[in-house]
Amino acid sequence: MAQKNAFYAQSGGVTSVINASACGVIQTAKLYPEHIGTVYAGRNGIIGALREELIDTSKESTADIDALKHTPAGAFGSCRYKLKSIEDNRAEYERLIEVFKAHNIGYFFYNGGGDSADTCLKVAQLSEQLGYPIQAIHIPKTVDNDLPFTDNSPGFGSVAKYVAVSTREAGMDVASMSESSTKVFILEVMGRHAGWIAAAGGLANEKDGQPPHIILFPEIAFDKEKFLAKVKQTVEEHGYCVIVTSEGVQNADGSFLADAGTVDAFGHKQLGGAAPTLANMIRSELNYKYHWALADYLQRSARHIASATDVEQAYAVGKAAVEFAVAGKTAVMPAIIRGKGEAYSWTIGEAPLAEVANVEIMLPREYITEDGFHITEAARRYLSPLIQGEDYPPYKNGLPNYVELKKEMVAKKLSSDFKVKV
Amino acid sequence: MAQKNAFYAQSGGVTSVINASACGVIQTAKLYPEHIGTVYAGRNGIIGALREELIDTSKESTADIDALKHTPAGAFGSCRYKLKSIEDNRAEYERLIEVFKAHNIGYFFYNGGGDSADTCLKVAQLSEQLGYPIQAIHIPKTVDNDLPFTDNSPGFGSVAKYVAVSTREAGMDVASMSESSTKVFILEVMGRHAGWIAAAGGLANEKDGQPPHIILFPEIAFDKEKFLAKVKQTVEEHGYCVIVTSEGVQNADGSFLADAGTVDAFGHKQLGGAAPTLANMIRSELNYKYHWALADYLQRSARHIASATDVEQAYAVGKAAVEFAVAGKTAVMPAIIRGKGEAYSWTIGEAPLAEVANVEIMLPREYITEDGFHITEAARRYLSPLIQGEDYPPYKNGLPNYVELKKEMVAKKLSSDFKVKV
């Protein structure tokens, strides 16, 4: 088999461990010099391939590549750029193949969620048709944890840990002040369609009465009366109430709760967040003193409190992607397979991309308690192993010492420019 | 000197290290059995003294008391309850003395901010007048860092570290996505009157161009045109813009920016937070894609990323308070004194409460750059040492293993009840 170069790109919302997958790809590729030459990374994801903006990862020091394991966000840049269908924009796919051909790239490693699994599959299919076969391997990544086939998605475990830890800490804060101050605290977390991240907040509660007392999931239609009654009952019983809400919590008619129906001083509709909407509701109807927090990007970039399990799995899927490629596979994704035993264990399996692309996994109903406000034992058994272990980054000057790569660009070989509308 | 019992209470907003001060008090008191009998802690702060609800700390295990060093929030409960002036409510002070007398309490350790320093001073003065002298020692604590005399206030260093770390992490996230997605990110942090916490976000920036690019302080009147021009210039130069804003950022007329002048669906005025207000402004005027986060209690309870320097100082002021007491002092506060050398060093000094009570220290103008949007080298020299060192709590099941005390109550000795309106 002739040696070919590899292309690696990060896609969609970044996570605190996506660079660990990149590290797995780059370090493992070095073990197979007879198959893989240089690993090029797309500058800002797939956009970098379309623009022929390739970062030469071989120009980075060994130490810097190793430091990717503890560095959050996308070290090469990521993008929100979904390739259209082949019918709608065949030129884009042809351009990808043209760039790959120009740089003798035979391996395409695409690190993302459901959309990018779909793109990856199409590249595999089309390259075959165009007579320049590319082995296209998808590497799973999404804090949303909504990919099928894999037991969980790298990136999720660390957000889950962040949310569980933050809920515990803020919950203790509220508990200690509630006699004379804040009675209700609301933490809004990510998850527009699926409640996996909100569910993780439930892990902070390890015995009766501990926060969070209420979790709101996108999967359960929001019932204002029931919710307010539960808040009231919780405050009366425990003296305070801690709520974790998904950003995507919805009314029975499918509208987002965060759409408060108000306009700002400039006449724009305000999407104020679910937490402040709930807070105003609680003030208005129950008159409790409240506070709320909205974690936003803090949760998915919090490498300082990453799950060691998640870091390990993120690296493992990157490593496995290369191993799959050198074994001649294409249109597959390394998946995390949970062991059947009582104690948590996992191995890497193989998922055909045709079965992964564009499928979203929701939180199963049996993971949510009957009243719709908390997680069940089944959910705990699923979630708890994913947040195990701490994997602290090194510190310098009191701050995490994250690496910033040199990102040396490969000389362009194509004369033509390709316009990418971002 | 006859042995007396001691009373310890937590006051005001809790922090991630206030229990380290409690630990310092309790462990040090044990070293002076000839002076100090039992340390009683107020249940929910000073309210516990007024209600004669005293927690017997001697009933806690040695291990649990030791675990206070790594446990956030107020282990005995805190409160927002300001004693009125002696003229307005002499009965409250007399009640305190009555409770102290009933339980043979000769030492009053009050762990809080400026208001509680004032209360502490009054207790010292009045107890003298009433013929039952109490040695009243104030222990500094406030995330606001606005206490005079002490170089910094325990609790602040850990919030500062949390904000600096979070700004760095979220900033990297935004940087890696900005080509095709979010261009502006805003993190709202605490600080209604003083910009110390927002200033700490500036430490994430260690070289030109790194986030945060803009910091908004309550000390600098908000100038919309200047702000928007700076955001635009930053996005054009760096491709993105990260902003840290104090919750207390104000317009030139002194009104809070967070008061957006909108009403919710129930007709209530919305105090939406400074971050969403700025975000809407940026969307409306510059049309950049934005995200924002509001850290709220997460920042002051984040013991998982506490500053080791802060933990050490919090313990030290608790320890020093007891040492001052056994040395016969009253109406004083242990203060952190910064060494004069190039390398950071600190010792514990002594501040007379008369000079501490009710004084608020603002961020000095020379800590803010001339354009009002960032911190100066002088600010960095002041702030940086306070976030040095990590002091991780132990973990269990993937979560910090914080202690929950038994909180065994002391039998009441007074027949009369005392109504406390919270």
Side-chain angles (χ1 to χ4, degrees):
Chain A
M1 195 181 201
Q3 193 208 57
K4 293 265 185 185
N5 296 317
F7 176 77
Y8 166 83
Q10 303 182 318
S11 176
V14 292
T15 78
S16 64
V17 302
I18 185 172
N19 291 329
S21 293
C23 182
V25 168
I26 297 166
Q27 291 185 338
T28 310
K30 289 204 173 112
L31 305 178
Y32 299 97
E34 69 283 16
H35 295 86
I36 304 178
T38 304
V39 177
Y40 299 133
R43 184 177 174 217
N44 298 319
I46 200 73
I47 296 174
L50 294 169
R51 290 180 179 158
E52 204 193 351
E53 293 179 345
L54 310 179
I55 295 162
D56 187 344
T57 69
S58 72
K59 298 293 168 65
E60 308 291 343
S61 72
T62 313
D64 280 1
I65 293 297
D66 206 53
L68 289 175
K69 257 185 259 171
H70 66 246
T71 297
F76 305 102
S78 183
C79 64
R80 291 210 181 278
Y81 186 82
K82 188 169 154 58
L83 267 72
K84 295 203 181 67
S85 71
I86 293 178
E87 297 70 41
D88 283 346
N89 202 341
R90 191 178 175 92
E92 271 188 339
Y93 292 88
E94 288 177 349
R95 168 69 179 187
L96 279 184
I97 306 295
E98 184 191 21
V99 170
F100 290 169
K101 217 167 164 176
H103 293 275
N104 193 33
I105 289 164
Y107 307 99
F108 174 49
F109 299 111
Y110 205 25
N111 203 170
D115 280 355
S116 55
D118 183 55
T119 301
C120 198
L121 177 61
K122 284 177 185 147
V123 167
Q125 293 165 342
L126 196 73
S127 69
E128 197 89 34
Q129 291 171 30
L130 293 176
Y132 183 80
I134 301 271
Q135 285 174 248
I137 317 279
H138 186 252
I139 304 168
K141 169 243 66 169
T142 168
V143 296
D144 294 333
N145 203 38
D146 58 2
L147 287 172
F149 217 101
T150 186
D151 175 68
N152 59 285
S153 305
F156 170 68
S158 294
V159 176
K161 189 176 182 98
Y162 173 92
V163 170
V165 170
S166 299
T167 302
R168 169 160 295 180
E169 292 178 333
M172 291 173 68
D173 184 309
V174 180
S176 61
M177 301 286 300
S178 61
E179 173 69 14
S180 60
S181 184
T182 299
K183 294 267 188 293
V184 179
F185 176 73
I186 308 162
L187 171 61
E188 176 168 342
V189 301
M190 285 180 161
R192 196 147 275 265
H193 305 295
W196 293 104
I197 297 176
L203 294 175
N205 161 299
E206 289 186 304
K207 56 184 185 187
D208 250 12
Q210 280 185 333
H213 307 97
I214 298 176
I215 307 174
L216 299 178
F217 308 94
E219 288 87 351
I220 304 289
F222 180 73
D223 179 332
K224 185 177 162 183
E225 297 314 313
K226 223 176 121 193
F227 167 72
L228 289 171
K230 179 80 179 170
V231 172
K232 189 161 182 281
Q233 182 210 322
T234 306
V235 172
E236 282 167 2
E237 194 178 339
H238 301 292
Y240 70 111
C241 178
V242 172
I243 301 159
V244 176
T245 181
S246 275
E247 59 183 341
V249 62
Q250 292 158 30
N251 296 302
D253 64 4
S255 62
F256 285 115
L257 199 71
D259 182 354
T262 57
V263 293
D264 64 19
F266 313 101
H268 291 110
K269 197 171 176 180
Q270 280 191 305
L271 283 174
T277 305
L278 292 166
N280 277 312
M281 199 181 284
I282 286 162
R283 180 177 56 171
S284 149
E285 306 273 336
L286 301 173
N287 203 28
Y288 289 137
K289 191 176 174 207
Y290 64 83
H291 262 243
W292 55 271
L294 199 147
D296 197 63
Y297 289 161
L298 269 52
Q299 68 200 288
R300 74 176 194 194
S301 62
R303 181 63 185 81
H304 74 272
I305 188 64
S307 151
T309 304
D310 192 30
V311 174
E312 217 182 304
Q313 293 179 339
Y315 186 91
V317 292
K319 177 171 177 279
V322 173
E323 290 165 350
F324 285 177
V326 300
K329 296 179 184 186
T330 187
V332 292
M333 175 187 92
I336 297 155
I337 311 293
R338 187 181 290 232
K340 300 255 180 258
E342 187 71 16
Y344 178 67
S345 65
W346 57 277
T347 51
I348 297 293
E350 180 186 325
L353 280 191
E355 289 182 31
V356 173
N358 294 318
V359 179
E360 265 185 0
I361 301 295
M362 300 290 115
L363 197 63
R365 186 60 183 85
E366 64 265 29
Y367 280 11
I368 303 172
T369 52
E370 210 179 313
D371 69 0
F373 288 133
H374 223 290
I375 56 169
T376 60
E377 276 309 305
R380 290 172 188 278
R381 278 194 300 276
Y382 169 75
L383 292 166
S384 182
L386 309 181
I387 68 163
Q388 298 302 313
E390 295 69 53
D391 186 77
Y392 300 118
Y395 278 69
K396 194 179 149 190
N397 293 334
L399 284 160
N401 191 15
Y402 297 136
V403 70
E404 200 185 329
L405 299 179
K406 285 187 298 180
K407 289 190 254 187
E408 208 170 293
M409 306 299 291
V410 177
K412 292 195 180 192
K413 298 196 172 179
L414 300 173
S415 52
S416 63
D417 253 11
F418 188 86
K419 282 268 169 284
V420 182
K421 198 175 143 36
V422 293
Chain B
M1 197 180 200
Q3 193 206 55
K4 293 264 185 185
N5 296 318
F7 176 78
Y8 165 83
Q10 304 182 318
S11 175
V14 292
T15 78
S16 64
V17 301
I18 184 172
N19 291 330
S21 293
C23 183
V25 168
I26 296 166
Q27 291 185 339
T28 309
K30 287 202 175 113
L31 306 178
Y32 299 96
E34 69 282 16
H35 295 85
I36 305 178
T38 303
V39 177
Y40 298 133
R43 185 177 175 219
N44 299 317
I46 199 74
I47 295 174
L50 294 169
R51 289 180 179 158
E52 202 192 353
E53 292 179 345
L54 309 179
I55 295 163
D56 187 342
T57 69
S58 73
K59 298 294 169 65
E60 308 291 343
S61 72
T62 314
D64 280 1
I65 292 298
D66 206 52
L68 289 175
K69 258 186 255 172
H70 65 247
T71 297
F76 305 102
S78 183
C79 64
R80 290 209 181 279
Y81 186 83
K82 187 168 154 58
L83 268 72
K84 294 205 183 67
S85 70
I86 294 178
E87 296 71 39
D88 282 346
N89 201 341
R90 191 178 175 93
E92 270 187 341
Y93 291 88
E94 288 177 349
R95 169 70 177 184
L96 279 183
I97 306 295
E98 183 191 24
V99 171
F100 290 168
K101 215 166 166 176
H103 293 275
N104 193 32
I105 289 165
Y107 306 98
F108 174 49
F109 298 111
Y110 205 25
N111 202 170
D115 280 355
S116 54
D118 182 55
T119 301
C120 198
L121 177 60
K122 283 175 186 151
V123 167
Q125 293 166 340
L126 196 73
S127 69
E128 196 90 35
Q129 292 170 28
L130 293 175
Y132 183 80
I134 302 272
Q135 284 173 250
I137 317 279
H138 186 253
I139 303 169
K141 171 244 61 169
T142 169
V143 296
D144 295 331
N145 202 39
D146 59 1
L147 286 173
F149 217 100
T150 186
D151 176 69
N152 59 285
S153 304
F156 170 68
S158 294
V159 177
K161 189 176 183 96
Y162 173 93
V163 169
V165 170
S166 299
T167 301
R168 167 160 295 181
E169 292 178 333
M172 291 173 68
D173 185 308
V174 180
S176 61
M177 302 286 300
S178 62
E179 174 67 15
S180 60
S181 184
T182 300
K183 295 268 187 292
V184 179
F185 175 74
I186 308 162
L187 171 61
E188 176 169 342
V189 301
M190 287 179 160
R192 195 146 276 265
H193 305 296
W196 293 104
I197 297 176
L203 294 175
N205 162 298
E206 289 186 303
K207 56 183 184 187
D208 251 11
Q210 280 185 334
H213 306 97
I214 298 176
I215 307 174
L216 298 178
F217 307 94
E219 288 88 351
I220 303 289
F222 181 72
D223 179 332
K224 185 178 163 183
E225 297 315 313
K226 221 176 124 193
F227 168 71
L228 289 170
K230 179 81 180 171
V231 172
K232 189 161 181 282
Q233 181 209 324
T234 306
V235 172
E236 282 166 4
E237 192 177 340
H238 301 291
Y240 70 110
C241 178
V242 172
I243 301 159
V244 176
T245 182
S246 274
E247 59 182 342
V249 61
Q250 292 158 29
N251 296 300
D253 65 4
S255 62
F256 285 115
L257 199 71
D259 182 354
T262 57
V263 292
D264 65 18
F266 312 102
H268 292 110
K269 196 172 177 180
Q270 279 190 305
L271 281 173
T277 305
L278 293 165
N280 277 312
M281 200 181 283
I282 286 162
R283 179 176 58 170
S284 151
E285 306 273 338
L286 301 173
N287 203 29
Y288 289 136
K289 192 177 174 209
Y290 63 81
H291 262 243
W292 54 271
L294 200 148
D296 197 62
Y297 290 161
L298 269 52
Q299 66 201 290
R300 75 175 195 195
S301 61
R303 181 61 184 81
H304 74 272
I305 189 63
S307 151
T309 304
D310 192 30
V311 175
E312 214 181 307
Q313 293 179 339
Y315 187 91
V317 291
K319 177 172 177 278
V322 173
E323 290 166 350
F324 286 177
V326 299
K329 296 177 185 188
T330 187
V332 292
M333 174 186 93
I336 297 157
I337 310 294
R338 188 180 289 233
K340 299 257 179 257
E342 187 71 14
Y344 177 68
S345 65
W346 56 276
T347 50
I348 297 292
E350 180 186 325
L353 281 190
E355 290 181 31
V356 172
N358 294 318
V359 179
E360 263 185 359
I361 300 295
M362 300 290 116
L363 197 63
R365 187 59 184 84
E366 64 265 29
Y367 279 12
I368 303 172
T369 52
E370 210 179 314
D371 70 0
F373 288 133
H374 224 292
I375 55 169
T376 59
E377 278 308 307
R380 290 171 188 278
R381 277 195 299 277
Y382 170 74
L383 292 166
S384 183
L386 309 181
I387 69 164
Q388 298 301 314
E390 295 68 55
D391 186 78
Y392 299 119
Y395 277 70
K396 195 179 150 191
N397 294 332
L399 285 160
N401 192 14
Y402 297 137
V403 69
E404 201 186 328
L405 299 179
K406 286 188 296 179
K407 289 191 251 187
E408 208 171 292
M409 305 300 292
V410 177
K412 293 195 180 191
K413 298 197 172 179
L414 300 173
S415 52
S416 62
D417 253 9
F418 189 86
K419 281 269 170 284
V420 182
K421 197 174 145 35
V422 292

